Amino acid sequence: MQALVFANGKLEYTLSHPQPKPADDEVLIAVELAGICTTDLEIIKGYMDFTGVPGHEFVGAVEKGPRDLTGKRVVAEINCVCGKCDMCHSGLSNHCRNRQVIGISGRDGAFAEYIVVPRRNVQVVPEAVSNETAIFVEPLAAAQQIVQQVSIEQRHKVVVVGDGRLGLLVVQVLAGIGAKGNVVLLGKNENKLTFAEKRGIQGVLLEDMLIKPEWDIVVDCTGTADGFQTACRLVRPRGKLILKSTFVPDKPVDLSPLVINEVTLIGSRCGPFPNAINALAAQQVVTNGLITASYKLQDGIQAFEKAKNPDQIKVVLEIKS
Amino acid sequence: MQALVFANGKLEYTLSHPQPKPADDEVLIAVELAGICTTDLEIIKGYMDFTGVPGHEFVGAVEKGPRDLTGKRVVAEINCVCGKCDMCHSGLSNHCRNRQVIGISGRDGAFAEYIVVPRRNVQVVPEAVSNETAIFVEPLAAAQQIVQQVSIEQRHKVVVVGDGRLGLLVVQVLAGIGAKGNVVLLGKNENKLTFAEKRGIQGVLLEDMLIKPEWDIVVDCTGTADGFQTACRLVRPRGKLILKSTFVPDKPVDLSPLVINEVTLIGSRCGPFPNAINALAAQQVVTNGLITASYKLQDGIQAFEKAKNPDQIKVVLEIKS
């Protein structure tokens, strides 16, 4: 089958990747649409030492699996867990000690014609949610995870640092919970800030921002050392900093503001899919306009190049139409 | 008067620093003994852009001040606050927006014959606490601050990373709260680990440690990029990492374990003095053996050099005997 494969430090398009076969507790999905995320860009730089087919934001149709799922349009949670380790037993199965993560660790992902995932990971996509919206289920669930970990109240002054793919979802989630006037998106791109402003959320250009430790809650969605440094400097004493991006800074970050201001930093990763699907179906979170480029799978290398461009929001791969 | 003064990027001993004069709400203290701390070593590298007399761990006798204090042996909390800003009003006066910090920010410190501090900062030292013990009030209060911020239970597996001055206090505080068998000190120096082991606390050499994310609570007291990196890798999923040292890493630190494992990192700074004085008076925390070198004030430059040596624990300046 067609696939993008990362091996020996190189991403390549191939026509001859073996089609995966589902085990008894797995389903075979024909991928229809997949999104490229910052983690994918890190993976092709060597993150997680991953080799194989990347891609974990996708929607497709079940070709083989239990009768109730066959033919259904589905998405899939990315953590494939053992159900047996201390983490699984303590209700933290996303942190399973033996987990594989679709397209990220130990398991082929979605930048291919077919993908196999555990049955338990699959969630059916309702009619109201198009493919172009469904690929945002995974990053939106990650954005919503913040609210599972941190109590955010209307009185809190909240700033989301980074106006990229993730920041534009996070700020919608937080503005939906806090008072909209207290939630600000901080970024470098006027066109992306405009996206937020159309939804009634204040966007501020970095150059116009007063960098002082006065914000109750700061979410870093930049995935850069500079962005994280800015975030550290914005949190008020005893405030909270949520770190969303898995990245290796390219330079040292001065962490002393975290100690001096006794900041609580909370690492935040994946979230549950059902809430995300509901929020998209109810249009509480809007994704129209977030897809800025679309490529066929055979042009996947170009798609990755495009996704590195800071002008882009979400670049997608059309795999089966 | 005699003093060590840091100015123009250089620490110098002088005989002619002007003796400070107390305002109405201040007291004049003749410094007797002062300790050199990692923050002091950072200050002479440029931290906080401080200029003046450094030194914030000290004990001395009140020479001028209210009658009930005159002649008393005292220590002093280091944050000099305004009492008027949003932080002071919200009960976070240690985070006062307009604060001066003794020997660290905006105010001369204790490496001098005399120091002036606000009356409200002064705490009397009981007879049972010697000068050699009293200089540990400030760092012990900082160690105890961890327990104010994080709930630690006997079942928790706790590791303190760094067997320096601060680590040896922190591990005693935490072992006094948790089950001793569950609290481990991780370090590089056998002689320092032995200090902990004499108090029934397990010491482990870094080279013998299995670096896996299995610890409920990790405290980083290393003040180095490598130490902080190790600490990040030891925290279990959803565990807690307490960051005690204000430092600028000399290389990038991979923060992805914090995100992947959804770790909560808590910056922790100063704590209240009364608890620390009580714990020292009751010998719940032992400081005998922590002072490894002692210098006269006129040999202060040498004392700083000595304090940089990783073999040393606490280097002190005898100012008035």
Side-chain angles (χ1 to χ4, degrees):
Chain A
M1 66 173 183
Q2 295 180 66
L4 296 181
V5 177
F6 182 70
N8 303 315
K10 206 162 172 233
L11 184 70
E12 292 192 302
Y13 169 77
T14 172
L15 276 161
S16 56
H17 198 67
Q19 182 174 320
K21 289 186 179 49
D24 285 350
D25 58 350
E26 294 179 326
V27 301
L28 177 74
I29 300 169
V31 182
E32 298 183 354
L33 193 70
I36 298 175
C37 131
T38 304
T39 305
D40 300 316
L41 300 179
E42 289 289 315
I43 278 173
I44 63 166
K45 287 193 266 176
Y47 176 66
M48 297 294 290
D49 292 326
F50 177 79
T51 58
V53 179
H56 57 277
E57 299 176 2
F58 73 99
V59 57
V62 174
E63 286 222 351
K64 272 189 205 160
R67 195 171 301 172
D68 62 320
L69 279 180
T70 310
K72 292 270 166 65
R73 214 158 46 97
V74 297
V75 289
E77 306 217 14
I78 70 175
N79 295 288
C80 306
V81 306
C82 75
K84 291 170 190 164
C85 69
D86 60 333
M87 288 295 135
C88 286
H89 279 164
S90 63
L92 295 174
S93 61
N94 271 358
H95 294 286
C96 169
R97 301 279 188 190
N98 309 307
R99 72 184 178 276
Q100 299 171 318
V101 186
I102 292 173
I104 295 175
S105 175
R107 194 171 184 113
D108 273 353
F111 298 152
E113 286 180 272
Y114 291 94
I115 184 174
V116 155
V117 302
R119 162 71 187 89
R120 69 203 288 176
N121 288 41
V122 170
Q123 302 279 345
V124 174
V125 176
E127 281 287 320
V129 176
S130 69
N131 277 358
E132 286 68 25
T133 295
I135 56 151
F136 291 99
V137 169
E138 196 281 331
L140 177 58
Q144 290 173 325
Q145 174 70 355
I146 295 170
V147 186
Q148 302 279 330
Q149 295 176 273
V150 181
S151 161
I152 299 179
E153 299 167 26
Q154 290 212 352
R155 67 187 169 92
H156 286 143
K157 278 183 66 184
V158 179
V159 59
V160 176
V161 184
D163 55 10
R165 322 167 236 284
L166 188 57
L168 290 171
L169 295 174
V170 166
V171 80
Q172 288 190 70
V173 169
L174 301 188
I177 288 154
K180 261 193 188 175
N182 277 348
V183 177
V184 165
L185 179 65
L186 180 62
K188 290 182 175 174
N189 305 281
E190 294 211 31
N191 63 323
K192 295 181 186 178
L193 295 176
T194 303
F195 175 91
E197 283 173 349
K198 279 188 190 154
R199 272 132 209 101
I201 300 162
Q202 194 192 347
V204 176
L205 275 172
L206 181 58
E207 65 207 56
D208 298 332
M209 185 78 169
L210 193 64
I211 307 297
K212 288 184 74 174
E214 294 188 337
W215 296 80
D216 297 305
I217 294 172
V218 179
V219 184
D220 178 29
C221 298
T222 63
T224 69
D226 286 339
F228 178 56
Q229 185 72 79
T230 298
C232 289
R233 292 179 175 149
L234 287 170
V235 195
R236 73 155 167 86
R238 295 280 178 95
K240 287 178 182 158
L241 169 55
I242 293 102
L243 185 57
K244 283 303 302 181
S245 321
T246 47
F247 73 106
V248 182
D250 54 4
K251 54 182 147 179
V253 174
D254 176 8
L255 300 173
S256 63
L258 302 184
V259 177
I260 292 174
N261 292 326
E262 299 193 320
V263 167
T264 296
L265 176 150
I266 298 144
S268 174
R269 197 167 49 104
C270 304
F273 275 26
N275 281 351
I277 293 171
N278 291 347
L280 290 170
Q283 299 197 303
Q284 285 158 358
V285 171
V286 174
T287 60
N288 292 346
L290 291 183
I291 296 177
T292 47
S294 179
Y295 290 82
K296 300 285 177 198
L297 187 54
Q298 65 255 39
D299 300 320
I301 311 297
Q302 270 174 268
F304 265 73
E305 283 308 309
K306 190 79 169 180
K308 292 177 191 168
N309 187 328
D311 285 346
Q312 294 297 311
I313 305 178
K314 180 61 77 183
V315 176
V316 297
L317 294 168
E318 290 171 49
I319 296 174
K320 192 181 176 182
S321 55
Chain B
M1 64 173 185
Q2 295 180 66
L4 296 181
V5 177
F6 182 70
N8 304 316
K10 209 165 170 229
L11 184 70
E12 290 192 303
Y13 169 75
T14 173
L15 277 162
S16 57
H17 197 68
Q19 183 175 319
K21 289 185 181 46
D24 284 350
D25 58 348
E26 293 180 325
V27 302
L28 177 74
I29 300 169
V31 182
E32 297 183 354
L33 194 70
I36 298 176
C37 131
T38 304
T39 305
D40 299 317
L41 299 179
E42 290 288 315
I43 278 174
I44 63 165
K45 288 193 265 173
Y47 175 65
M48 297 294 289
D49 292 325
F50 178 79
T51 58
V53 179
H56 57 279
E57 300 174 2
F58 72 99
V59 57
V62 174
E63 289 221 352
K64 273 188 205 158
R67 195 172 302 172
D68 62 320
L69 279 180
T70 309
K72 292 271 167 67
R73 216 157 44 96
V74 297
V75 289
E77 306 216 14
I78 70 175
N79 295 290
C80 306
V81 306
C82 75
K84 292 171 188 163
C85 69
D86 59 333
M87 289 294 134
C88 287
H89 279 165
S90 63
L92 295 174
S93 61
N94 272 356
H95 294 286
C96 169
R97 301 280 187 190
N98 309 307
R99 72 182 178 276
Q100 298 171 318
V101 187
I102 292 174
I104 295 175
S105 174
R107 194 170 183 114
D108 272 354
F111 298 153
E113 287 181 88
Y114 291 94
I115 183 173
V116 154
V117 304
R119 163 69 188 93
R120 69 204 288 178
N121 288 41
V122 170
Q123 301 280 342
V124 174
V125 177
E127 281 287 322
V129 177
S130 69
N131 278 358
E132 287 67 26
T133 296
I135 56 150
F136 290 99
V137 169
E138 195 281 331
L140 178 58
Q144 290 174 325
Q145 174 71 354
I146 295 170
V147 186
Q148 303 279 333
Q149 295 177 274
V150 181
S151 160
I152 298 180
E153 299 168 27
Q154 291 213 351
R155 68 187 168 91
H156 286 143
K157 280 183 64 185
V158 179
V159 59
V160 176
V161 184
D163 54 10
R165 320 167 238 282
L166 187 58
L168 289 171
L169 296 175
V170 166
V171 80
Q172 289 190 69
V173 169
L174 301 188
I177 287 155
K180 262 194 186 174
N182 277 348
V183 177
V184 165
L185 179 66
L186 180 62
K188 289 181 175 175
N189 305 281
E190 294 211 30
N191 63 322
K192 296 182 185 178
L193 296 176
T194 303
F195 175 91
E197 283 173 349
K198 279 188 190 154
R199 273 133 206 101
I201 299 161
Q202 195 192 346
V204 177
L205 276 171
L206 182 58
E207 63 206 58
D208 298 332
M209 185 78 170
L210 193 65
I211 307 295
K212 287 183 73 173
E214 293 186 340
W215 296 80
D216 296 306
I217 294 173
V218 178
V219 184
D220 179 28
C221 298
T222 64
T224 68
D226 286 339
F228 179 56
Q229 185 72 80
T230 299
C232 289
R233 290 177 176 151
L234 287 170
V235 196
R236 73 157 169 85
R238 294 280 177 96
K240 286 176 182 161
L241 170 55
I242 293 103
L243 186 57
K244 282 302 305 181
S245 323
T246 46
F247 73 105
V248 182
D250 54 3
K251 53 182 146 178
V253 174
D254 176 9
L255 299 173
S256 63
L258 302 183
V259 177
I260 292 174
N261 292 325
E262 298 193 321
V263 166
T264 297
L265 176 150
I266 298 144
S268 175
R269 197 168 49 104
C270 305
F273 274 26
N275 281 351
I277 293 172
N278 291 347
L280 290 170
Q283 300 197 301
Q284 286 159 358
V285 172
V286 174
T287 61
N288 291 347
L290 291 183
I291 295 179
T292 48
S294 181
Y295 290 82
K296 300 284 176 201
L297 187 54
Q298 65 254 41
D299 301 322
I301 310 297
Q302 271 173 269
F304 265 75
E305 283 307 308
K306 188 80 168 180
K308 290 177 191 169
N309 186 327
D311 285 346
Q312 294 298 311
I313 303 179
K314 180 61 76 182
V315 175
V316 297
L317 295 168
E318 290 170 51
I319 296 173
K320 191 182 179 182
S321 53

